[in-house]
Amino acid sequence: MHPTLAACPAVAGAVCGFLGVLAGCVAVTANAAVAPEAQPVAQQAAVLARIRDAAMSSDWAWQHLTDLTDKIGPRLSGTLQLTAAMNQLADAMRSLPAQVTLQPVKVPHWVRGEEQAELVDYPGRPVGVTQHLHLTALGSSSATEAKGLTARVIVVRDFAELNNRSEDVRGNIVLFDARFDQRLADNGYAGEAYRQNGVYRFKGPSAAAALGAAAALVRSVGGADFRLPHTGATMWKDKQAAIPAAALSAEDADLVARLAAAGPVRLKLILMPKTLADADSGNVIADWLGRERPNEYVIVSGHLDSWDLATGATDDGVGVIGAAAVIEILRQLDLHPRRTIRFIGWTNEENGGRGNKAYFASVERSIETQTAAIESDDGAGRSLGVDAAVTNDTLATLQPVIDALGPLGATVLRRRDGELGADIEPLQRAGVPGFAPLVDARHYFDYHHTAADTLDKVEPQSLRSQVATMAVLAYFLAELPEPLPRFKISD
Ligand SMILES: [Zn+2]
């Protein structure tokens, strides 16, 4: 059995099957008063199957993902490439034709510079020998002096150890050496493994700076050992001055930890990033108008920005293009569900979240019009089903979606209480039911935020399975006679 499936706590399957069929009956009966009850269910199943099959035989997503990654490449906020990607995507959506709006958003503009690290002293070092380490600056890191910063490395495994060694930290370089739990990822909980380990990247440098550290390093957050550093955002407290902060490759974190166990280790660090003035950017919004309730929306989305080290094929080219492809499938089949399906290509997910904040501010006062929100941002693995942040009672209503996806092996319907995507989180907090394709993410964090996040990591058939999942789900939600009950996520 697939380990992901074995580990999922809330598999719908037999328990929800019977109730799901009933819920499906109720859902479509209201839509077709004359026809016998059994027929609408069969009709609904036939439409969902056509959507699935169209998605599984379409090359639109693969071609547009290739265009995005080959012709534009990395898309960090503030860059010309991100603006070019917005225009490329807006043009593609207009030509479907969908109704396209660019929602203006000001975004942070952080630029990577020279980055180098060298071990210049350690126990047993032969005279004159130094060792080069593989690292990369974290977004919003400050710069060292051009000649670099040389200091002792204090290795800690967690925040408790940092606090216990607070006297050693001042003026030195802290290395957070927390390991990524690949076994957790192997068991279907890659997101949990990422969050558990990622807290040191998000909050470690700030905690080290608060104790007077000169700089902070984190062991890369990722499950594979290719001596690749994994970048990502780090956060500073309000009014806190940033310090130089970088991610070390896992192998180099091990090396430093081994040497430091034997005695003092000194490291020379050069990081020369710059923070420029905020730049113009925007969310790409494309509406496929609903036939009965065009002012009610089902959002299907991914983020268009990426880190600067690679072409962002899996994070989140797959998600943003896969979501856009939902509208292409409906156009192909000439299907217009009751509500509007709104595609959003979010800006600035990676280092600020300004895109989702701007969108939420624009709909906050008419939040009832936002009936459901889907985000795909969990990598390029094949679809295993659907994650749903909905009320317990709602789960059975969704059974026809899983029935339609079953032939793809996407058989899991899993209820979640938390956010299912950073960009839809504000909507979920306001009560909008949230969804994500549940994908095989066991190896997502091998390449995540590294220079190896490139198109070759995407399997076209897996991408199609994600499009099929989102297209079936989005159509089903947009066609429901009444929106799903509201569900506010907890922390
Ligand atoms: Zn992402």
Side-chain angles (χ1 to χ4, degrees), residues 116-123 130-135 151-157 161 165 172-179 215-220 227 246-269:
Q116 278 188 46
E118 226 173 16
L119 289 175
V120 294
D121 201 10
Y122 48 84
T130 62
Q131 296 198 60
H132 174 75
L133 304 181
H134 291 249
L135 91 176
R152 186 175 163 191
V153 185
I154 307 299
V155 182
V156 300
R157 274 160 303 179
E161 194 175 355
R165 297 192 62 188
N172 286 324
I173 300 170
V174 173
L175 166 60
F176 291 91
D177 186 29
R179 280 166 189 275
L217 303 175
V218 297
R219 182 188 181 100
S220 283
R227 211 178 178 193
L248 264 187
S249 70
E251 292 84 343
D252 289 341
D254 282 343
L255 169 66
V256 173
R258 282 193 302 271
L259 294 172
V265 170
R266 290 179 69 78
L267 184 138
K268 180 182 175 189
L269 179 67

Side-chain angles (χ1 to χ4, degrees), residues 288-370:
W288 183 249
L289 294 183
R291 65 169 196 279
E292 274 179 27
R293 301 189 193 177
N295 298 323
E296 290 183 8
Y297 300 90
V298 170
I299 294 167
V300 56
S301 67
H303 67 85
L304 188 55
D305 65 310
S306 80
W307 280 103
D308 55 335
L309 298 175
T311 62
T314 74
D315 188 9
D316 181 29
V318 159
V320 72
I321 298 297
V326 167
I327 294 185
E328 192 274 329
I329 298 302
L330 298 183
R331 178 200 60 84
Q332 218 189 91
L333 301 175
D334 197 24
L335 286 172
H336 292 267
R338 217 179 289 276
R339 292 179 190 79
T340 293
I341 293 187
R342 166 167 282 179
F343 160 76
I344 306 179
W346 307 99
T347 190
N348 188 226
E349 189 274 346
E350 293 292 6
N351 61 339
R354 302 260 187 98
N356 70 60
K357 290 185 184 85
Y359 182 78
F360 183 71
S362 74
V363 298
E364 193 173 6
R365 270 183 270 167
S366 56
I367 195 71
E368 336 68 58
T369 63
Q370 313 290 301

